[in-house]
Amino acid sequence: MSTCYYLSWFNDLLPEKLARCLHEDIQDRKSLVMISGEPSVSTDEPTRIDDVTECAWLKQAGLIFDEYHFIDCRMPKEEARRFVRDASVVFLCGGDPVSQNEFLTDYELSDVIKSSGAVIMGASAGSLNMAAKWSSSIENGREVAAGTVYEGLGFHHFAYESHAKRDYASFVQGYLFPLSEEIEVYAAEQESAIRVKDGKIDVIGPTYLISRAKIQKLIETL
């Protein structure tokens, strides 16, 4: 099973302890493949990798790769799958989780990512889609009913929620409680991360576990 990082969002540099863990886990740095959180684009102009916030986080942490590839609807499907198969790290970027979820299905990337030996990372929307399930909310900005449950890649049997503007007060308002009756939900505030390695879950920053409509703040373990 791949080592996985579920990130919330970071307004500046990655925390030093998170960067240290990434250096430890990412020994192969041949290829970083990033999957857009806004995969449907209206321009033929290629995305500059230096303009991708999540890539900047890694570079600022000293994680430099030989190759960088950014996948969205402008890339042919087979080429996208080939890049994922050969990746050292697959990073699902933040953006619109519904659009990204649909894109992963349309490009038949889900099984390719899950069978990859790469380190798998996600930020915000990308982390939602790494988990087994996630629940939409009005704040996602899509015309879907709040509380609609989506299936993610399912690297681990839990649901995930993250948003830079959400905090403990919003998590206890209850919109995640129905989902927590069927599966545990990890809810992350801004500047938080979860690492799952060898079956062990570690957390950095303010993160909550919601189970059967009860919420508890987790102790940092990294």
Side-chain angles (χ1 to χ4, degrees), residues 195-207:
R195 179 179 75 172
V196 187
K197 181 178 181 179
D198 299 328
K200 183 175 183 290
I201 298 176
D202 288 299
V203 301
I204 293 173
T207 306

Side-chain angles (χ1 to χ4, degrees), residues 19-66:
R20 184 173 62 249
C21 291
L22 290 170
H23 275 275
E24 172 188 322
D25 292 334
I26 304 174
Q27 297 294 318
D28 177 3
R29 300 179 191 171
K30 293 177 183 176
S31 173
L32 171 63
V33 174
M34 312 197 82
I35 300 176
S36 176
E38 303 283 352
S40 298
V41 293
S42 57
T43 176
D44 292 331
E45 289 294 320
T47 298
R48 294 179 66 254
I49 201 71
D50 288 340
D51 292 337
V52 179
T53 300
E54 295 90 334
C55 184
W57 292 343
L58 298 181
K59 287 188 174 184
Q60 290 164 350
L63 289 155
I64 307 300
F65 296 81
D66 296 335

Side-chain angles (χ1 to χ4, degrees), residues 117-139:
V119 172
I120 310 297
M121 302 182 65
S124 192
S127 291
L128 269 63
N129 280 315
M130 284 172 56
K133 296 177 183 289
W134 57 273
S135 179
S136 69
S137 73
I138 296 172
E139 293 179 27

Side-chain angles (χ1 to χ4, degrees), residues 168 171-172 177 187 208-211 213-217:
Y168 178 81
F171 289 139
V172 299
F177 285 2
Y208 306 90
L209 175 61
I210 306 173
S211 179
K214 295 182 179 180
I215 183 169
Q216 62 172 314
K217 186 172 184 178

Side-chain angles (χ1 to χ4, degrees), residues 70-178:
F70 188 80
I71 295 176
D72 60 22
C73 67
R74 292 169 293 193
M75 181 178 288
K77 293 182 181 181
E78 185 50 47
E79 185 176 6
R81 291 193 286 269
R82 176 169 59 83
F83 282 140
V84 169
R85 282 193 294 268
D86 296 339
S88 306
V89 174
V90 176
F91 201 134
L92 284 78
C93 297
D96 179 352
V98 178
S99 293
Q100 188 180 66
N101 188 283
E102 293 170 348
F103 179 74
L104 292 172
T105 299
D106 180 50
Y107 264 54
E108 300 175 355
L109 288 173
S110 299
D111 288 342
V112 183
I113 296 171
K114 290 179 70 174
S115 63
S116 169
V119 172
I120 310 297
M121 302 182 65
S124 192
S127 291
L128 269 63
N129 280 315
M130 284 172 56
K133 296 177 183 289
W134 57 273
S135 179
S136 69
S137 73
I138 296 172
E139 293 179 27
N140 282 334
R142 295 288 294 252
E143 292 184 2
V144 294
T148 300
V149 175
Y150 290 85
E151 300 287 333
L153 292 170
F155 276 100
H156 304 97
H157 188 65
F158 57 71
Y160 184 85
E161 178 60 283
S162 168
H163 197 285
K165 294 182 180 178
R166 293 193 188 122
D167 54 17
Y168 178 81
S170 61
F171 289 139
V172 299
Q173 287 173 355
Y175 72 95
L176 293 171
F177 285 2

